[in-house]
Amino acid sequence: MTFETVSTTRSHGGVQGVYRHASTSTGTPMVFSVFTPPQAADGTKCPVVWYLSGLTCTHANVTEKGEFRRWAAELGLVIVCPDTSPRGEGVADNAGWDLGQGAGFYVDATEAPWAPHFRMWTYVTEELPSLVAAHFPVDMDRQGITGHSMGGHGALTVALRHPGRFKSVSAFAPIVAPAQVPWGQKAFPAYLGGDKSSWRRHDAVALITDGARLPDLLVDQGAADGFLENQLRPQLLADACAKAGIPLTLRLQDGYDHSYYFISSFMEDHLRWHAARL
């Protein structure tokens, strides 16, 4: 599990690094970023929060615009930000921005032409955690996960399908029920085929309905988000959590949209949520 350092930069007493490695899951080079807080300078293992990004994003969007380092440094959190899909020559793609490169949906594709490389589920749940655990000062008994939009979908489904792994879970404007909205109804048949039973394993509302549980959950959603009614539909998550008895803090933030201006405005709240549980 070797990797190369693309860059390291001092920030808030810690180190923001960007790294590249040859992924066995995707069969492509993959780039990810890791912020290590000052508390880890002597090798002390710190809790880790995984951030999964949304459609069209790379690791760089949240790394450069998420404004998380000040709070991560204060709270002693390692922040890991993977890419959203395999990329490069020979990797399947689509002309639409919501399918293909930049839009992996955190699934292992079973359908052509996606299956050879689009194995983001294995990448974010197995390969990257193993690499990070081996090379960075992280306490893998204290993991949290969060994400935005498609990445919020990923964070919820990863946590729901790995009970006990994550002590804290949150999301920014997540796609809570992809099987019921246009983004998922485009991506899931392309990646997973027409058998809708396979979709349920990658749909947070369906997973909760089928018995998966979380200790508690924080979700922020911009009230001025143009995707709110058609693609995100947080009320479906609220209803599912209420029926399942999952404590959900769902905050509709007046005037905020879907952008990193929204995410960065509430990043402190989310990292404090995670730190309190880690």
Side-chain angles (χ1 to χ4, degrees):
M1 291 189 294
T2 61
F3 66 95
E4 64 175 293
T5 299
V6 176
S7 66
T8 56
T9 307
R10 191 78 168 164
S11 180
H12 293 282
V15 176
Q16 178 64 66
V18 176
Y19 308 93
R20 181 186 295 112
H21 71 117
S23 169
T24 57
S25 303
T26 67
T28 67
M30 295 293 290
V31 179
F32 63 99
S33 74
V34 179
F35 175 74
T36 53
Q39 294 86 341
D42 62 356
T44 298
K45 292 188 175 183
C46 293
V48 56
V49 176
W50 305 85
Y51 179 97
L52 304 185
S53 294
L55 289 164
T56 75
C57 291
T58 70
H59 72 283
N61 296 73
V62 67
T63 304
E64 295 171 3
K65 298 187 288 188
E67 300 183 18
F68 57 80
R69 277 172 290 273
R70 175 183 175 185
W71 315 114
E74 175 188 323
L75 298 166
L77 299 173
V78 174
I79 310 294
V80 181
C81 308
D83 201 349
T84 56
S85 80
R87 300 177 189 271
E89 186 177 352
V91 177
D93 203 3
N94 184 273
W97 57 269
D98 52 359
L99 185 69
Q101 295 186 37
F105 268 86
Y106 303 100
V107 303
D108 282 352
T110 58
E111 305 300 302
W114 313 105
H117 299 294
F118 278 70
R119 298 186 56 79
M120 290 303 295
W121 180 266
T122 296
Y123 181 71
V124 299
T125 65
E126 298 178 19
E127 184 179 5
L128 187 59
S130 294
L131 187 153
V132 169
H135 294 285
F136 294 89
V138 295
D139 182 350
M140 296 298 278
D141 291 327
R142 293 186 290 165
Q143 296 186 67
I145 191 167
T146 188
H148 170 235
S149 194
M150 179 186 72
H153 138 74
L156 294 177
T157 56
V158 167
L160 284 163
R161 286 177 53 187
H162 292 83
R165 178 185 293 192
F166 301 97
K167 298 185 182 301
S168 57
V169 185
S170 74
F172 300 88
I175 307 170
V176 304
Q180 299 187 52
V181 303
W183 276 336
Q185 290 165 350
K186 179 177 180 178
F188 280 3
Y191 294 143
L192 302 174
D195 181 1
K196 293 186 178 180
S197 64
S198 68
W199 301 6
R200 297 187 71 83
R201 290 166 53 80
H202 295 285
D203 183 302
V205 167
L207 285 166
I208 292 169
T209 301
D210 292 345
R213 295 293 182 264
L214 295 172
D216 56 5
L217 177 61
L218 170 64
V219 172
D220 273 303
Q221 170 65 60
D225 188 327
F227 301 115
L228 175 58
E229 299 299 330
N230 192 39
Q231 302 281 15
L232 304 176
R233 302 180 66 185
Q235 190 58 47
L236 294 175
L237 179 66
D239 293 343
C241 286
K243 290 179 182 178
I246 298 173
L248 168 65
T249 301
L250 174 59
R251 307 190 304 185
L252 196 62
Q253 302 291 0
D254 187 46
Y256 285 89
D257 61 13
H258 200 67
S259 72
Y260 271 90
Y261 295 110
F262 155 66
I263 298 166
S264 62
S265 295
F266 301 100
M267 184 63 77
E268 178 187 0
D269 291 355
H270 282 247
L271 293 186
R272 292 194 183 281
W273 169 277
H274 288 277
R277 288 155 179 78
L278 298 176

